[in-house]
Amino acid sequence: MHLDTPAIVCAMLPHGEHGAVVRFLTPANGIVAGYVRGGRSRRLRPILQAGNGVALSMRARVDTQLAAATVELTDARAALAVGGAAIAALDWLTALTAAALAEDDPHPALYRALDALAAAIAAGAGPLALGEGVVRYEYLLLSELGFGLDLSACAATGTTADLAYVSPRSSQAVSRDAGLPYAAKLLPLPAFLIGAAAADSASIHDGLKLTGHFLERDVLTARGRDTLGARERLANRLPPR
């Protein structure tokens, strides 16, 4: 296997005395994992921070062998993430990506979205913009993995007007009138997800509740649930409702 590609660092695990196994998101190959010799050295640790963009080269003699990887820094995003919300957002987005995606399964839309979000974080995007970006990324990830939400029309009446809820069972939108008697059992649908209003702090927290329900139910296995602490830290650092 020979691969030369731009990539985003998503996760790093120690391996041996100085090395590391690193998971990268690439535009054409999805998540790939490789062994970086000296990955925990003083020189490479700053490069292999989650969220950084790198030029990645991977080589393996056979497909079943863990590839040897070398990296060159192209976009230093992690060091430019300033503030608790920015750092927490970058930690959560990369951890979610590494945990949720299978290796060698291409998701070019997710690569573009994560690359844009990491760049926005490095450029100093505010907490509201970060919160909206995270909800939209989670929404996209659910769709890419086959667990997309149907927000096109009310599941009960078929109307496309005044959609306000989502059924936690069917993943379908519900209109305000149809859902009001069952509101306690439904999930709030933030208007910004369907282009009906701009995002504010309340709707961002509603969005996190919505996507979080389906991520926990459908995507994050027992192993992936270990990453949810990063999501909670992010929610706590966003503006309150």
Side-chain angles (χ1 to χ4, degrees):
M1 186 267 281
H2 301 274
L3 179 65
D4 296 290
T5 179
I8 302 168
V9 179
C10 287
M12 182 177 74
L13 291 174
H15 190 281
E17 188 173 353
H18 301 293
V21 175
V22 185
R23 291 168 68 80
F24 304 90
L25 181 63
T26 66
N29 297 82
I31 286 285
V32 296
Y35 172 73
V36 180
R37 185 183 298 275
R40 288 179 290 149
S41 67
R42 183 176 299 178
R43 181 180 71 85
L44 288 179
R45 271 202 311 269
I47 296 175
L48 293 174
Q49 291 185 77
N52 280 348
V54 297
L56 172 66
S57 294
M58 297 180 65
R59 301 289 184 269
R61 293 182 179 178
V62 294
D63 290 341
T64 55
Q65 180 186 40
L66 180 64
T70 58
V71 296
E72 292 184 12
L73 182 67
T74 57
D75 295 290
R77 275 90 171 251
L80 298 176
V82 178
I87 294 169
L90 199 58
D91 286 348
W92 163 241
L93 290 167
T94 52
L96 171 63
T97 302
L101 302 187
E103 290 185 19
D104 301 315
D105 188 10
H107 292 282
L110 284 175
Y111 176 87
R112 290 192 297 271
L114 183 58
D115 190 51
L117 271 170
I121 290 170
L128 283 179
L130 290 179
E132 180 180 357
V134 168
V135 173
R136 291 188 181 279
Y137 185 80
E138 293 177 347
Y139 177 76
L140 174 63
L141 184 141
L142 286 166
S143 179
E144 287 281 312
L145 296 182
F147 303 109
L149 312 184
D150 182 357
L151 307 182
S152 59
C154 175
T157 66
T159 183
T160 59
D162 201 21
L163 302 177
Y165 306 101
V166 176
S167 166
R169 291 188 178 183
S170 70
S171 310
Q172 293 180 283
V174 180
S175 69
R176 192 176 309 278
D177 286 346
L180 194 57
Y182 315 100
K185 297 181 179 180
L186 299 173
L187 296 164
L189 172 57
F192 73 83
L193 267 186
I194 53 175
D200 58 17
S201 58
S203 64
I204 287 169
H205 284 280
D206 284 344
L208 290 172
K209 181 178 180 180
L210 174 66
T211 52
H213 170 82
F214 295 105
L215 285 173
E216 290 192 50
R217 189 190 75 177
D218 298 325
V219 174
L220 296 176
T221 63
R223 178 178 64 87
R225 289 180 187 275
D226 294 342
T227 66
L228 287 172
R231 192 176 194 269
E232 184 176 353
R233 289 192 294 274
L234 168 62
N236 290 337
R237 284 163 174 77
L238 293 175
R241 294 182 63 90

